[in-house]
Amino acid sequence: MNYFVYNGISSADMGIRIESKNVFSAPKYDVQFAEIPGRHGDLIVGGGRYPNVQITYSVFVPAKTVYELAEKITAIKRWLYANQDSYHTLTDTYDTAFFRKAVFASQLDIEDELNRIGVFTVSFSCLPFRYSSDGQTAVTITTSGQSLTNPYGFSSKPLIRVNGSGNGSLTVITNGSLKVWQLQSIDGYVDIDSEQMNCFKGTVLKNDKVSGTGFPILEPGSNTFVFTGGVTSVSVTPRWCTL
């Protein structure tokens, strides 16, 4: 039986049965076309972003009595309508190698068939990318010059733990480009989170101890890590993603 898990709770545990899903929906690229007088065709003006995508499940809730159906529907509403001010992990049995970051942001229109079955759709607003479950596992690099290969066609925003002591540098080489970050007063480790755009150790911010241009990005293909000085190794959680 197919099911989805949202915010840590399985649809199967809520008594929901899935009839169908728009399995591999992908967003439309944010782009506009501008007409230029005297020029054939339109000029492409890319917005440089993908909007959210809607992931929808057609479901039903079996019940033996009207009272049982009402109880189940109340519990489902309590689950879906909770914590709507942030994204939560959404997984399902249709796409087991990936997960999405989703929030329930629609309404429930529930039909009652013969007073025994509630039929409705559950629609989630999701960030445009699907995230690889394998990409959530940290890879430790102990030798400067080692590489990680991004197997997808989109860049990812990793979490990098820089291990060591004192001062050192981290360089990421990808697609012929080279970016360097200088780290000061490393005391065990410093985490560089490109998604949150923060540097920290535990609950202590370390942004004043890390200098460089922006945050590390892992581009499609090979990404080489070079470290010097007091840096002894790096642990990379790549967060691979794709549409």
Side-chain angles (χ1 to χ4, degrees):
M1 180 178 70
N2 287 312
Y3 61 87
F4 62 86
V5 178
Y6 171 67
N7 198 11
I9 297 176
S10 169
S11 61
D13 292 340
M14 300 301 293
I16 294 175
R17 307 261 182 98
I18 299 176
E19 292 184 316
S20 64
K21 173 202 173 185
N22 56 343
V23 181
F24 293 113
S25 296
K28 178 183 177 182
Y29 183 60
D30 184 10
V31 65
Q32 295 181 352
F33 296 91
E35 295 183 4
I36 307 298
R39 174 174 174 169
H40 297 293
D42 294 337
L43 181 68
I44 299 175
V45 183
R49 64 181 293 274
Y50 292 95
N52 273 18
V53 62
Q54 296 294 315
I55 299 299
T56 301
Y57 301 87
S58 298
V59 305
F60 66 94
V61 178
K64 295 179 180 179
T65 65
V66 175
Y67 178 77
E68 181 187 354
L69 178 60
E71 277 195 327
K72 288 184 176 181
I73 294 301
T74 298
I76 290 169
K77 290 178 180 177
R78 184 168 59 245
W79 163 45
L80 293 177
Y81 282 93
N83 304 316
Q84 289 184 289
D85 56 352
S86 59
Y87 290 98
H88 307 283
T89 298
L90 173 67
T91 62
D92 64 31
T93 51
Y94 295 92
D95 192 18
T96 56
F98 295 87
F99 67 91
R100 291 188 181 270
K101 297 179 181 180
V103 63
F104 178 75
S106 61
Q107 64 184 36
L108 288 180
D109 293 321
I110 302 171
E111 299 178 6
D112 190 7
E113 295 185 356
L114 301 177
N115 292 325
R116 299 175 74 84
I117 297 180
V119 180
F120 56 101
T121 61
V122 179
S123 183
F124 295 99
S125 181
C126 303
L127 294 180
F129 292 104
R130 296 154 57 226
Y131 297 88
S132 165
S133 297
D134 290 342
Q136 303 304 304
T137 301
V139 178
T140 300
I141 296 177
T142 57
T143 302
S144 179
Q146 284 185 275
S147 299
L148 284 181
T149 299
N150 181 348
Y152 301 103
F154 297 88
S155 59
S156 70
K157 298 178 179 180
L159 170 63
I160 300 178
R161 172 163 293 189
V162 181
N163 302 299
S165 61
N167 301 332
S169 70
L170 170 66
T171 302
V172 178
I173 305 170
T174 179
N175 290 341
S177 68
L178 180 151
K179 292 187 177 180
V180 183
W181 291 268
Q182 301 292 337
L183 298 94
Q184 298 178 341
S185 305
I186 305 169
D187 181 18
Y189 71 89
V190 175
D191 286 334
I192 302 176
D193 192 326
S194 298
E195 197 169 79
Q196 294 183 9
M197 293 191 292
N198 257 329
C199 302
F200 51 88
K201 180 182 179 182
T203 58
V204 180
L205 291 178
K206 295 288 185 177
N207 293 312
D208 60 334
K209 302 297 183 182
V210 181
S211 61
T213 303
F215 288 83
I217 298 295
L218 303 184
E219 301 291 350
S222 179
N223 296 267
T224 302
F225 296 83
V226 177
F227 43 86
T228 63
V231 179
T232 56
S233 65
V234 294
S235 181
V236 184
T237 304
R239 295 170 171 162
W240 307 131
C241 63
T242 188
L243 293 180

